[in-house]
Amino acid sequence: MDEMRAMLDELMGQDRDGDREIVRRSVTDKEICKFYLLGFCPFTEFERTKHDFGACQNIHDDAVKADWEKLDDKEKERLGYERDLKRWIEKLMVELRTKIAKNEERLFQQEAVVLLAEDQAKLTRLNDEIQESVAQAEAMAEQGDVDGAQAAVAQTDRLKTQVSVLTEEASKRAGGGASRYGQQEVCPLSGVIINQEESRVRDHKNGRNYKAWCMAHEKYKEVNATLQRRDEERGRHLLPPPPVVGSSHPRSRERDHERSADRDGRNRDANRDRHRDRDRDRDRHRDRDRDDRRERDRHDRGSSRSEHYHRERRRSRSRSRGRDRPRERGDHAPQPNGSRHR
């Protein structure tokens, strides 16, 4: 009953009987399924498939989805729903690669090709490496290391390619040995083993599981392209403007030449102003040094004149005292009474 009611609500609306009040929700409400707003809810798309994740616990509201589509890129980036969906699908892709590797290994083990001993030893060594790579991918996926798991899966794919080439060559060298499972292959999009018959392939591609995986791949490419575009736009906004590249058109070359001439003129004016300021500062320092030297010379000359003046005055005073002082005995000056010195 609950499932039937949910289906009727989705098809005809919650107020189809007129007995329930319509609740207006917002894109930021916690009960809203943010993946449904982006057009891909894994719980709904993989329902009743081999990868059923159970029923979605959130609400799928078309009115809120319309409000989401009206938001600009800046607001969507702020909410971060697209990055959450990208991380969710990346974990899903890691599990898919692990399943593909296991199923390919299963088909390989079922083959009954009789090989030479040398070729069999090479294949055994490659199979051991594949097993180690698969185990490593599973361990990293359980730990949440998406990049490491993807690298391990890529290594597994390379080893599987080597095994395929070597198996074909070894089969030819061994003289054939067709396998009864030769008409089977692993689907690269869903990871399941399918028969290569046309009717079986058509039934597989019309199934719900294959369509869900195709939608997951398409949505991952779409979300990843959107996020890369925004990152590039943000990077271009933060970087300085690119240099003007010349064009082959004459008018464009003329405009480039004019812009280059204006830029060169502004650079010359700026250099001339810098040189003028530097010369002005140098002249100012030179005048200050010259004034300082003049002041020191003036002070030195004043000190020299003062010393010379005081020195001459002292000499004059000494001469004056010598004339006024009476001569002592033994001087040759005439005595007052005219008598000679005895």
Side-chain angles (χ1 to χ4, degrees), residues 111-115 167 171-172 174-180:
E111 293 180 353
V113 179
V114 179
L115 304 177
T167 301
S171 178
K172 293 178 180 180
S179 173
R180 57 175 178 166

Side-chain angles (χ1 to χ4, degrees), residues 127-141:
N127 289 331
D128 293 339
E129 294 179 4
I130 290 174
Q131 292 292 339
E132 294 178 359
S133 181
V134 171
Q136 185 178 4
E138 293 177 352
M140 290 184 176

Side-chain angles (χ1 to χ4, degrees), residues 6-24:
M7 293 176 60
L8 292 175
D9 291 343
E10 184 177 356
L11 293 175
M12 304 177 60
Q14 297 180 1
D15 193 28
R16 60 185 182 277
D17 298 329
D19 56 348
R20 285 188 290 181
E21 181 182 359
I22 300 177
V23 179
R24 184 62 177 174

Side-chain angles (χ1 to χ4, degrees), residues 283-298:
D283 294 340
R284 188 182 301 110
H285 289 296
R286 187 185 300 112
D287 295 340
R288 187 181 297 111
D289 293 340
R290 186 172 56 252
D291 294 339
D292 293 340
R293 287 196 300 271
R294 288 178 179 176
E295 184 65 24
R296 288 195 300 269
D297 294 342
R298 188 182 301 109

Side-chain angles (χ1 to χ4, degrees), residues 92-159:
L92 195 63
M93 293 299 177
V94 171
E95 297 177 0
L96 174 63
R97 291 298 186 91
T98 304
K99 182 179 180 180
I100 291 175
K102 284 184 176 181
N103 287 336
E104 288 179 347
E105 179 65 19
R106 177 183 173 185
L107 289 181
F108 177 78
Q109 295 295 338
Q110 290 175 352
E111 293 180 353
V113 179
V114 179
L115 304 177
L116 299 177
E118 182 180 358
D119 293 333
Q120 186 63 47
K122 293 180 180 179
L123 289 175
T124 301
R125 185 177 65 255
L126 290 176
N127 289 331
D128 293 339
E129 294 179 4
I130 290 174
Q131 292 292 339
E132 294 178 359
S133 181
V134 171
Q136 185 178 4
E138 293 177 352
M140 290 184 176
E142 293 177 356
Q143 295 175 1
D145 188 357
V146 178
D147 296 335
Q150 290 179 347
V153 171
Q155 177 65 16
T156 304
D157 294 339
R158 288 192 293 268
L159 293 174

